[in-house]
Amino acid sequence: MDLDRASPIPLYFQIAQRLERLIVEGELRPGSRLENEIALADRLSVSRPTIRRAIQDLVDKGLVVRRRGIGTQVVHGRITRGIELTSLFDDLQRSGRKPETRVLEHRVTDADQRLAETLSVASGSPILHVRRLRLAAGTPIAIMENWLPAEFTDLSSADIQEHGLYQLLRARGVTIRVAKQRIGARIATDTEARQLGVQRNSALVTMDRTAFDSSGTAVEYGHHCYRSDLYSFEVTLVEK
Amino acid sequence: MDLDRASPIPLYFQIAQRLERLIVEGELRPGSRLENEIALADRLSVSRPTIRRAIQDLVDKGLVVRRRGIGTQVVHGRITRGIELTSLFDDLQRSGRKPETRVLEHRVTDADQRLAETLSVASGSPILHVRRLRLAAGTPIAIMENWLPAEFTDLSSADIQEHGLYQLLRARGVTIRVAKQRIGARIATDTEARQLGVQRNSALVTMDRTAFDSSGTAVEYGHHCYRSDLYSFEVTLVEK
DNA sequence: GAGTGGTCTAGACCACGCA
DNA sequence: GCGTGGTCTAGACCACTCC
C-alpha cells in the first residue's frame, strides 16, 4: 500500500480509498476482519488517529462495522451508491445516459409567504421560477420545478437548458453544502402524465428539497417528480 | 456550560448536545458564527480535537457549515429530524400516536434465489415471512412485509404483534447497525387499498430495506408501503 | 490477561480567506 | 499578516470482549 505524503490528498483519505477498493473488489470478504488500528498504523507508518479517521469514513458509508473488543468487520450485502449531493443531471451524466433538458417555464415572480420563509427572503421579493422536463436517452424521467432567490433571477432559460442548475451555481462560486429533502409519492396530474409519457393516474416519486450553500444560506427550493418505474432513492443508514 | 467529566457520556457528546440545544432554541441564530475552536477549547478546558469532534457531529446533522479562514456558521432553515435507524413502530411511539399492529400473515417458507442472496443464506433455507398492517390512532398507515433468516423462525405471531420486530431483535441481543434502503413509489393493489383504507389506484410510498447487525450480518429484509398522504421520508445530505 | 476499539490530551504545521 | 479550520503526531488511559 503506497501512500503519497507529498500529495495534497490527505493521508486518511488515501487510506480510506485503498481500504474501500479492497472491499468492493472482494479482497476483503464480507464478514472478514480488518487489521487492528495499531497494526495498520504501524505498517503504514502513520499515527493511530489518522487510521481511525480513515476507518470512520468506511463506517459512515456502511461498508464496515466496529465493535470494541472484537474488531472491524466488513458488512455483507452489495455496495450501493446512495444519495449524494448532486443533481439528477450529474447522476445521468455519470451513468452515461445522455441527459437532455427542456425548459417548460421560466419566469420571475414574487415570493409568497411560504416560499419566502423557505428561502429566508422577504415576502414579495423577486424569485426565479423554472419548470423543466428531464430526459435520458430520449425518455422523459422527471419534471423539476425550482425556485431561486433574487440574486439568480438573471439566469437565462438557455443557460439552464444547456448547463443544468447546479453547474450554473458552481460557476458563480456557489457550492451546495447541505440539502434537506423530503421523499414521498403522489398520482400524476394529466398534464404530468402526458409530459412524462406515462398512463393517466400513474404513481410518481416526489422529492422536495431546500439546498444551502457554504455560508448556510438557502439558495434553492425544488419540487421534483420522477417516473416511479425509472427512478428511486437509495439511502444507507448508520447507527451513530 | 457545565461539563461533567465524571460522567460516562463522552465530553464531545456533551458539548455537541449543548451546542445543538443553543441552535434549535434559537440562541445561536441562523447565519451567526460559532466561537472558533481554540477559544471554545480554552473556555471549556478541553483539547481542540475534542471540540472538533463535537462540531463535526453538528456538521453531520446539517446544523452548521464550516469554511477554512471563515469560521463555523449556523445553517438557515428549520430543523428536520431526518431518517433514523428505527422502525415505524418507534417513530409512532415517539410521536405519541398510539401504534397498533395486526399480523396479516405469519409463516415459515424456503428462501428463493433472490432472497437467499439478499440475506446471505443458503438458497432453500427456512425463512420467517410476516405481513403486518400498522395503524396509528386507529388509522391504517402502512403494510409491512418482512423476511428473517432461520434463527428467527421461532418468533411467534403474538410476540410480533405485541412488541414490534426491532424490539424483539434487541431483546435477543441483535442490534441493527446498518440499513440500506431504497425509496420509491407505486400504485396500490386493490387488496392494499382496501387494507389501508384508501381509494383504488392510490399512490403508495415504498421502502425496501436490508438491515445488518453489529457483526455485519443481514438480519432482515423488508418491503414496506405507506399511505402517501400520511407518510414521507426526510433526509439531510451533507457534502463530504 | 490479552486484544480490541473509544476517548482525550497538547502540541505542530499547513492551506485558505480576508483585510 | 492574521485568523480560521484541516491535517497529523505520539502518546495516555479506559471499557469491552473473549479466553
Side-chain angles (χ1 to χ4, degrees), chain A residues 140 192-199 227:
Chain A
E192 286 167 341
R194 197 176 58 249
Q195 290 172 332
L196 288 173
V198 294
Q199 291 190 322
R227 281 178 58 164

Side-chain angles (χ1 to χ4, degrees), chain A residues 147-158:
Chain A
W147 290 264
L148 294 94
E151 55 184 308
F152 302 112
T153 47
D154 59 321
L155 290 176
S156 78
S157 182

Side-chain angles (χ1 to χ4, degrees), chain B residues 111-142:
Chain B
D112 63 18
Q113 180 78 35
R114 196 188 55 73
L115 189 57
E117 213 164 290
T118 305
L119 293 177
S120 300
V121 297
S123 189
S125 68
I127 295 284
L128 175 61
H129 174 208
V130 294
R131 189 158 181 279
R132 297 169 290 165
L133 180 68
R134 184 74 86 199
L135 307 92
T139 307
I141 302 280

Side-chain angles (χ1 to χ4, degrees), chain B residues 3-20:
Chain B
L3 297 180
D4 181 359
R5 302 187 83 96
S7 159
I9 297 166
L11 285 176
Y12 74 83
F13 193 83
Q14 295 183 42
I15 297 170
Q17 272 189 326
R18 280 157 177 72
L19 288 173
E20 181 169 353

Side-chain angles (χ1 to χ4, degrees), chain B residues 3 5 9 19 43 47 51 53 128 182 192 230 237:
Chain B
L3 297 180
R5 302 187 83 96
I9 297 166
L19 288 173
R43 197 158 61 74
S47 69
I51 288 289
R53 172 75 195 266
L128 175 61
R182 178 170 280 281
E192 287 168 340
L230 294 177
L237 304 176

Side-chain angles (χ1 to χ4, degrees), chain B residues 49-223:
Chain B
T50 301
I51 288 289
R52 280 185 65 76
R53 172 75 195 266
I55 296 180
Q56 188 57 48
D57 278 10
L58 303 182
V59 173
D60 291 340
K61 287 186 179 173
L63 291 174
V64 301
V65 286
R66 318 194 76 191
R67 277 180 297 171
R68 181 153 38 181
I70 306 279
T72 305
Q73 285 174 289
V74 180
V75 170
H76 290 75
R78 92 194 145 65
I79 288 80
T80 57
R81 191 177 57 79
I83 295 185
E84 286 170 24
L85 253 183
T86 52
S87 65
L88 179 55
F89 192 77
D90 297 320
D91 281 6
L92 296 173
Q93 274 198 328
R94 193 169 32 208
S95 62
R97 303 158 81 180
K98 269 212 309 283
E100 186 191 335
T101 306
R102 291 186 202 145
V103 176
L104 305 175
E105 261 185 73
H106 173 281
R107 67 170 204 276
V108 176
T109 60
D110 290 347
D112 63 18
Q113 180 78 35
R114 196 188 55 73
L115 189 57
E117 213 164 290
T118 305
L119 293 177
S120 300
V121 297
S123 189
S125 68
I127 295 284
L128 175 61
H129 174 208
V130 294
R131 189 158 181 279
R132 297 169 290 165
L133 180 68
R134 184 74 86 199
L135 307 92
T139 307
I141 302 280
I143 295 170
M144 311 184 311
E145 279 191 286
N146 297 83
W147 290 264
L148 294 94
E151 55 183 308
F152 303 111
T153 47
D154 60 320
L155 290 175
S156 78
S157 182
D159 278 347
I160 293 172
Q161 179 139 340
E162 185 71 21
H163 299 105
L165 214 41
Y166 273 33
Q167 273 188 29
L168 286 176
L169 295 182
R170 273 197 293 270
R172 293 198 173 197
V174 175
T175 318
I176 306 299
R177 290 286 282 278
V178 178
K180 300 183 177 179
Q181 302 187 165
R182 178 170 280 281
I183 303 168
R186 62 175 170 80
I187 297 290
T189 66
D190 287 356
T191 306
E192 287 168 340
R194 196 175 60 249
Q195 290 172 333
L196 287 173
V198 294
Q199 292 190 320
R200 289 183 55 185
N201 297 324
S202 291
L204 301 178
V205 182
T206 62
M207 191 268 283
D208 287 87
R209 170 182 64 197
T210 310
F212 303 86
D213 69 6
S214 53
S215 75
T217 308
V219 291
E220 180 239 347
Y221 172 73
H223 172 79

Side-chain angles (χ1 to χ4, degrees), chain A residues 84-142:
Chain A
E84 287 171 22
L85 253 184
T86 53
S87 64
L88 178 56
F89 191 76
D90 297 319
D91 281 5
L92 295 174
Q93 275 198 329
R94 194 170 30 209
S95 62
R97 302 158 80 180
K98 269 212 310 283
E100 186 191 337
T101 306
R102 291 187 200 144
V103 176
L104 306 175
E105 261 186 75
H106 174 281
R107 67 170 204 276
V108 177
T109 60
D110 289 347
D112 62 19
Q113 179 78 34
R114 196 189 54 74
L115 189 57
E117 214 164 288
T118 304
L119 292 178
S120 301
V121 297
S123 190
S125 67
I127 294 284
L128 175 61
H129 174 207
V130 293
R131 190 158 180 279
R132 297 169 292 165
L133 179 69
R134 184 74 86 200
L135 307 93
T139 308
I141 303 279

